[in-house]
mmCIF file of all heavy atoms in Angstrom:
data_model
loop_
_atom_site.group_PDB
_atom_site.id
_atom_site.type_symbol
_atom_site.label_atom_id
_atom_site.label_comp_id
_atom_site.label_asym_id
_atom_site.label_seq_id
_atom_site.Cartn_x
_atom_site.Cartn_y
_atom_site.Cartn_z
ATOM 1 N N VAL A 289 -2.536 70.436 18.006
ATOM 2 C CA VAL A 289 -2.133 69.019 18.022
ATOM 3 C C VAL A 289 -3.248 68.085 17.587
ATOM 4 O O VAL A 289 -3.020 66.925 17.293
ATOM 5 C CB VAL A 289 -1.628 68.592 19.419
ATOM 6 C CG1 VAL A 289 -0.372 69.332 19.750
ATOM 7 C CG2 VAL A 289 -2.691 68.821 20.456
ATOM 8 N N LYS A 296 0.906 67.684 27.910
ATOM 9 C CA LYS A 296 1.313 67.735 29.309
ATOM 10 C C LYS A 296 2.516 68.649 29.428
ATOM 11 O O LYS A 296 3.367 68.671 28.530
ATOM 12 C CB LYS A 296 1.640 66.338 29.837
ATOM 13 C CG LYS A 296 0.398 65.478 29.998
ATOM 14 C CD LYS A 296 0.744 64.079 30.424
ATOM 15 C CE LYS A 296 -0.518 63.226 30.495
ATOM 16 N NZ LYS A 296 -0.174 61.826 30.781
ATOM 17 N N ARG A 367 -8.351 44.347 8.456
ATOM 18 C CA ARG A 367 -9.638 43.727 8.098
ATOM 19 C C ARG A 367 -9.857 43.775 6.599
ATOM 20 O O ARG A 367 -10.247 42.786 5.985
ATOM 21 C CB ARG A 367 -10.777 44.445 8.828
ATOM 22 C CG ARG A 367 -11.018 43.936 10.241
ATOM 23 C CD ARG A 367 -12.362 44.399 10.759
ATOM 24 N NE ARG A 367 -12.436 45.846 10.904
ATOM 25 C CZ ARG A 367 -11.963 46.518 11.965
ATOM 26 N NH1 ARG A 367 -11.397 45.859 12.957
ATOM 27 N NH2 ARG A 367 -12.054 47.832 12.031
ATOM 28 N N ILE A 505 8.859 -71.201 -28.598
ATOM 29 C CA ILE A 505 8.038 -70.299 -29.421
ATOM 30 C C ILE A 505 6.809 -69.867 -28.634
ATOM 31 O O ILE A 505 6.491 -68.670 -28.542
ATOM 32 C CB ILE A 505 7.614 -70.989 -30.738
ATOM 33 C CG1 ILE A 505 8.847 -71.195 -31.621
ATOM 34 C CG2 ILE A 505 6.555 -70.159 -31.470
ATOM 35 C CD1 ILE A 505 8.579 -72.041 -32.858
ATOM 36 N N PHE A 522 1.636 -48.702 -19.261
ATOM 37 C CA PHE A 522 2.542 -47.596 -19.009
ATOM 38 C C PHE A 522 2.123 -46.360 -19.813
ATOM 39 O O PHE A 522 2.125 -45.234 -19.309
ATOM 40 C CB PHE A 522 3.962 -48.030 -19.380
ATOM 41 C CG PHE A 522 4.999 -46.978 -19.142
ATOM 42 C CD1 PHE A 522 5.309 -46.570 -17.851
ATOM 43 C CD2 PHE A 522 5.675 -46.398 -20.212
ATOM 44 C CE1 PHE A 522 6.275 -45.607 -17.637
ATOM 45 C CE2 PHE A 522 6.637 -45.433 -19.997
ATOM 46 C CZ PHE A 522 6.945 -45.036 -18.713
ATOM 47 N N ALA A 550 -0.913 -61.244 1.116
ATOM 48 C CA ALA A 550 -1.811 -62.374 0.845
ATOM 49 C C ALA A 550 -1.333 -63.129 -0.390
ATOM 50 O O ALA A 550 -1.329 -64.356 -0.427
ATOM 51 C CB ALA A 550 -3.235 -61.864 0.656
ATOM 52 N N GLY A 618 18.671 -56.572 -2.744
ATOM 53 C CA GLY A 618 19.278 -55.277 -3.011
ATOM 54 C C GLY A 618 19.741 -55.144 -4.433
ATOM 55 O O GLY A 618 19.329 -55.905 -5.318
ATOM 56 N N PRO A 678 5.329 -32.943 -3.253
ATOM 57 C CA PRO A 678 5.452 -31.551 -2.790
ATOM 58 C C PRO A 678 4.382 -31.259 -1.739
ATOM 59 O O PRO A 678 3.398 -32.002 -1.622
ATOM 60 C CB PRO A 678 5.240 -30.716 -4.044
ATOM 61 C CG PRO A 678 4.569 -31.605 -5.009
ATOM 62 C CD PRO A 678 4.941 -33.008 -4.660
#
Side-chain angles (χ1 to χ4, degrees):
Chain A
V289 295
K296 289 176 183 174
R367 275 196 295 278
I505 292 172
F522 181 67

